[in-house]
Amino acid sequence: MSTGKSYFFIGIGGSGMMPLAMILAGQGACVAGSDRSLDQARLPAKFDQLRALGIGLFPQDGSGITSADQIVIASAAIEATVPDMIAAGRVGATQMSRAELLSSLFNAAPQAIGVAGTSGKSTVTGMIGWMLHALGRDPTVMNGAVMKNFAAPDAPFASALVGGGDLFVSEVDESDGSIALYRPAVAVLNNVSLDHKSLEELRALFADFIGRAGHAVVNIDNPDAAALAAALPADRVTSFSIERAADLQAIFIEEAPFGVTFMVTQDDLIVEVSLQVPGRHNVANALAAIGAARAAGVSLHDAAAALAGFAGLKRRFDLVGRAGDIAVIDDFGHNPDKIGATLDTLHAFPGRVLMLFQPHGYGPLKVMRHALVASLVERMAADDVLVLPDPVYHGGTVSRDVTSADIVADIAAAGRTAHHIALREDAAAFLVDQARAGDRIVVMGARDDTLSQLAADMVKALASRG
């Protein structure tokens, strides 16, 4: 549907924008874009990959938008005062949000699988995409994270896969309410928990999402998700669980530091699953992915066999390196559930945890404050150390009602060790100085791909200590 059309992405390097641009380019559209990071000479490898796909890149000064025939896509972070937005209005170009464009592609697919939930969307999307690809179903996959199975030295930012089959797999976002735009054949609901919106708003959005689907795959270990599933006809739902009886249930779970095995049961079948990613939360993610694959016509045995080849995602419990028996892990954890799952995975094995958590914005920090503090206080061990730099800020107006210093004060008051160090480079240096043999350092945060480089720099700094 996109062949012959001309698209311009404002913020093309964003985690939700880049894969969409890649898919359109792969389908034959003319694609161009701009980005603040490009103007600031940050993450050059990302923009090199876009250029290699034939995507034109322009400064974010309005120079790339010259025709009313262009379709201009703006990410949610782009303000009306950005020169490209002004140029789009001046030339009369059609303007769409990222979600409007993605949903139009998604809804046009003969068999669309949408993955929703507060946590785990990218991992489940990657798992489904890999299984369907490995089994020859040739899916198109839109992900918000880099899928290691599809990454290569000349394409390190493989957050999309362009296929020729009927299947379109995508994570769908509830944070801005745009989940309401999607009409899935198969809807996956991982969980319902506090992040960008109130629980009341989330329940309504997710209920409508799974209600529109031909079939829903739902995590009944999450009480809110279970309640939403219970409102649907039983023949339109596949439930999954690691704690109770369900259509898909995990039993005999055996964790390892960087992997996990379990048995999955469905009806009278029982099949072993071996994952290259760790943690009980990834067992739940795997059940979600298996449920979606089953709804797409894949056998339980084939799904389990293919899933064993899933290599994981960048920035999802991603081991960056080791130095002096100290491991450095790069992780996308940024809300109470994601951070809690990472800490649970780390604490399943011995060793102190040193955390650098960069909040992904002042707004989310305000919404999550109490739940975030409660999760950290509950999950941190007595000798763990947490450091918070200031939140991500790439410009624009923002209310700073709650800061990293406020979160640190709350956590310290509850008896855990936490420090506010405003500059993240200083925060990283502090943890490198504190680290000792057997420690695990984890760098957490969202909306900032340069955190991966920070983690790599910490490995080098640790190695240079001698």
Side-chain angles (χ1 to χ4, degrees):
M1 64 173 291
S2 57
T3 301
K5 294 183 180 180
S6 179
Y7 297 87
F8 191 96
F9 286 76
I10 308 175
I12 196 168
S15 62
M17 296 281 273
M18 182 173 177
L20 187 50
M22 293 163 68
I23 288 171
L24 287 171
Q27 292 178 344
C30 177
V31 181
S34 66
D35 199 277
R36 286 182 183 137
S37 293
L38 176 67
D39 294 349
Q40 296 164 1
R42 297 193 306 140
L43 295 169
K46 173 178 286 189
F47 299 106
D48 288 345
Q49 182 172 336
L50 290 172
R51 290 189 188 95
L53 294 172
I55 293 172
L57 298 176
F58 294 83
Q60 204 166 81
D61 59 4
S63 61
I65 301 174
T66 58
S67 169
D69 294 331
Q70 290 173 287
I71 301 170
V72 176
I73 316 302
S75 72
I78 301 300
E79 298 172 318
T81 55
V82 170
D84 282 347
M85 294 292 286
I86 296 171
R90 183 176 62 250
V91 303
T94 299
Q95 298 183 44
M96 298 178 73
S97 69
R98 183 199 70 87
E100 287 170 340
L101 177 57
L102 173 57
S103 63
S104 69
L105 297 174
F106 181 92
N107 294 337
Q111 194 170 15
I113 300 175
V115 181
T118 318
S119 302
K121 292 188 292 291
S122 297
T123 297
V124 174
T125 299
M127 287 177 167
I128 297 169
W130 168 249
M131 284 191 289
L132 295 174
H133 173 80
L135 294 169
R137 297 289 295 274
D138 200 17
T140 293
V141 183
M142 160 76 195
N143 207 333
V146 173
M147 298 173 282
K148 292 183 180 180
N149 288 98
F150 305 116
D154 60 343
F157 292 89
S159 53
L161 179 67
V162 181
D166 290 343
L167 286 154
F168 192 114
V169 185
S170 179
E171 59 175 293
V172 298
D173 191 11
E174 80 290 342
S175 65
D176 59 359
S178 63
I179 189 174
L181 300 173
Y182 298 86
R183 299 190 301 274
V186 179
V188 177
L189 179 56
N190 293 335
N191 40 56
V192 182
S193 60
L194 193 65
D195 193 345
H196 298 273
K197 291 184 176 292
S198 70
L199 283 175
E200 291 74 18
E201 292 175 292
L202 291 173
R203 291 184 191 110
L205 287 169
F206 289 136
D208 289 344
F209 175 68
I210 62 174
R212 290 191 301 274
H215 195 84
V217 180
V218 183
N219 179 9
I220 62 170
D221 287 336
N222 180 271
D224 285 301
L228 298 181
L232 295 177
D235 62 351
R236 286 180 51 205
V237 178
T238 296
S239 62
F240 65 89
S241 171
I242 62 174
E243 297 176 357
R244 66 197 70 191
D247 297 322
L248 285 168
Q249 184 178 1
I251 58 176
F252 304 131
I253 299 171
E254 295 186 11
E255 294 189 65
F258 290 93
V260 60
T261 60
F262 62 96
M263 306 296 290
V264 59
T265 66
Q266 185 175 36
D267 299 326
D268 57 348
L269 296 174
I270 181 167
V271 177
E272 183 176 5
V273 180
S274 179
L275 299 178
Q276 299 180 50
V277 290
R280 294 175 68 87
H281 64 293
N282 274 320
V283 175
N285 289 336
L287 292 177
I290 290 170
R294 297 283 290 120
V298 175
S299 75
L300 187 64
H301 285 87
D302 285 348
L307 197 52
F310 177 65
L313 306 178
K314 291 285 188 181
R315 303 218 64 238
R316 301 314 191 266
F317 208 92
D318 193 5
L319 179 63
V320 179
R322 298 178 185 270
D325 198 29
I326 300 166
V328 178
I329 296 162
D330 186 21
D331 192 72
F332 192 66
H334 63 278
N335 65 32
D337 276 3
K338 289 184 172 75
I339 292 171
T342 296
L343 289 177
D344 286 347
T345 301
L346 287 164
H347 284 138
F349 299 92
R352 189 172 64 145
V353 176
L354 309 183
M355 286 174 283
L356 189 157
F357 169 45
Q358 178 180 269
H360 60 295
Y362 287 94
L365 203 57
K366 181 178 180 179
V367 171
M368 295 188 300
R369 178 176 184 172
H370 300 296
L372 179 63
V373 169
S375 179
L376 284 164
V377 169
E378 177 184 352
R379 263 47 179 261
M380 287 177 68
D383 59 352
D384 288 347
V385 178
L386 170 66
V387 178
L388 266 75
D390 289 338
V392 171
Y393 176 69
H394 293 313
T397 57
V398 63
S399 172
R400 304 190 183 198
D401 295 340
V402 176
T403 68
S404 293
D406 295 322
I407 303 300
V408 163
D410 292 347
I411 294 169
R416 296 294 186 240
T417 303
H419 305 275
H420 170 229
I421 301 177
L423 298 177
R424 71 178 199 183
E425 291 77 12
D426 294 340
F430 174 82
L431 290 185
V432 167
D433 182 64
Q434 294 287 311
R436 58 178 183 256
D439 286 347
R440 285 80 51 83
I441 297 176
V442 58
V443 176
M444 295 186 185
R447 295 183 182 170
D448 187 350
D449 291 336
T450 64
L451 286 171
S452 297
Q453 186 58 53
L454 182 71
D457 291 343
M458 293 176 77
V459 175
K460 294 177 183 176
L462 288 165
S464 70
R465 295 193 315 180

